[in-house]
Amino acid sequence: MTRLTPALRERAIGMIQAGMGMTAVSRAIGCKRLTLYRLQQRFQGTGSTADRPRSGRPRVTTIADDRFIRIRHLRDRFMPPRASTGVVQGRRISAQTVRRRLRSFNLRPRRAYRRPTLTQRHRHERLRWCHARLRWRLNNEWSNILFSDESRFTLQHSDGRARV
């Protein structure tokens, strides 16, 4: 269940002080009776409905910042986390914070796969190798060759297929 906003807390205390029952107030506010009971106890003890200080370091990013980070990385799945460190409401946040937020949304980093592109010299050497073996016969010469490297190469750029 979500936290009560300060306005709802004040409204609930007003309803309780006006004589409404806990069940009626909980239905009107939309929260559990135990929440209202604890709110009333805290109000009687401190005279305030504000949250008490909590231990631990406060979060650097707000819920809206987290949502912005999530949407930004969903739009560009290959963007590294450090690219989002300076765009959150003008504040600097660490790349580790961005990684934590992405992990909380079950987003894993993606890396664009880069295959080695063939240079002109590589192409020339391959073509020369093929021309030298153009007239080989299957039962004589090719039976003595063992192909152990089955790498795929693209000539200009990555074709986006996964390596097998």
Side-chain angles (χ1 to χ4, degrees):
M1 186 150 292
T2 59
R3 301 180 70 92
L4 290 178
T5 63
L8 279 178
R9 288 186 213 144
E10 296 291 334
R11 184 173 166 206
I13 290 296
M15 292 174 153
I16 292 169
Q17 287 179 342
M20 285 182 72
M22 287 284 188
T23 307
V25 175
S26 70
R27 282 192 200 127
I29 299 292
C31 67
K32 296 183 179 179
R33 283 184 299 153
L34 181 61
T35 304
L36 292 177
Y37 177 75
R38 288 183 180 152
L39 179 65
Q40 183 184 26
Q41 294 295 318
R42 185 171 59 207
F43 182 74
Q44 288 173 351
T46 63
S48 172
T49 60
D51 284 339
R52 286 178 266 182
R54 289 181 174 77
S55 63
R57 182 175 179 171
R59 290 176 62 108
V60 176
T61 58
T62 63
I63 295 171
D65 294 338
D66 295 345
R67 197 175 308 123
F68 177 76
I69 291 170
R70 176 179 172 265
I71 290 171
R72 182 178 167 113
H73 283 269
L74 279 174
R75 286 183 182 153
D76 184 5
R77 295 302 299 265
F78 299 111
M79 181 180 4
R82 63 183 168 272
S84 294
T85 58
V87 296
V88 179
Q89 297 294 324
R91 293 188 313 270
R92 295 286 300 171
I93 58 173
S94 69
Q96 185 60 40
T97 300
V98 175
R99 282 188 203 97
R100 274 190 228 106
R101 299 305 180 260
L102 293 175
R103 199 176 315 122
S104 71
F105 290 117
N106 288 328
L107 293 177
R108 302 291 181 248
R110 304 257 193 251
R111 289 199 179 111
Y113 180 69
R114 297 199 149 183
R115 279 184 202 87
T117 56
L118 296 178
T119 63
Q120 282 297 113
R121 191 179 127 255
H122 292 140
R123 293 177 197 174
H124 181 68
E125 292 293 323
R126 281 177 163 228
L127 188 62
R128 197 168 54 113
W129 188 89
C130 291
H131 282 305
R133 289 149 183 84
L134 188 63
R135 302 275 182 224
W136 278 17
R137 296 184 180 268
L138 182 62
N139 56 358
N140 293 341
E141 294 89 356
W142 285 112
S143 61
N144 297 327
I145 302 295
L146 173 67
F147 291 98
S148 62
D149 184 9
E150 296 182 5
S151 299
R152 289 186 301 137
F153 295 94
T154 57
L155 299 180
Q156 272 75 28
H157 54 79
S158 173
D159 61 358
R161 293 182 358 193
R163 187 188 325 192
V164 179

